[in-house]
Amino acid sequence: MANRNTDGLRYPSIDDLLEVVDSKYKLAYIAAKRAKIIKEDDYSSVENKCVKPVGQALEEILAGKVKAEF
């Protein structure tokens, strides 16, 4: 895997994510829901650096591929 994440917990950045989602609590909720779907379907809508579903969900959120209404 050439695009593997070598930044550990620093990627994707919480500061960057909070520019997309206005609350860390909303971010956690959205990421958990999307991660569950990614794990069940074994599909992500972006090319991922992260291996785990939560990281993949965060990458999708950062890319603007996940929308949620509260």
Side-chain angles (χ1 to χ4, degrees), residues 2-60:
N3 262 351
R4 188 164 179 137
N5 175 21
T6 58
D7 294 329
L9 294 176
R10 296 175 299 206
Y11 178 83
S13 165
I14 186 72
D15 295 327
D16 294 339
L17 287 161
L18 288 175
E19 289 180 15
V20 178
V21 179
D22 64 346
S23 162
K24 61 184 175 183
Y25 302 105
K26 288 180 185 177
L27 177 62
Y29 179 81
I30 296 166
K33 290 288 188 180
R34 182 61 188 141
K36 184 176 179 184
I37 295 168
I38 289 171
K39 188 173 181 179
E40 289 172 356
D41 296 347
D42 196 28
Y43 171 78
S44 177
S45 63
V46 297
E47 188 168 327
N48 300 104
K49 288 172 103 177
C50 295
V51 177
K52 296 183 180 179
V54 172
Q56 293 173 353
L58 292 172
E59 288 179 313
E60 288 184 354

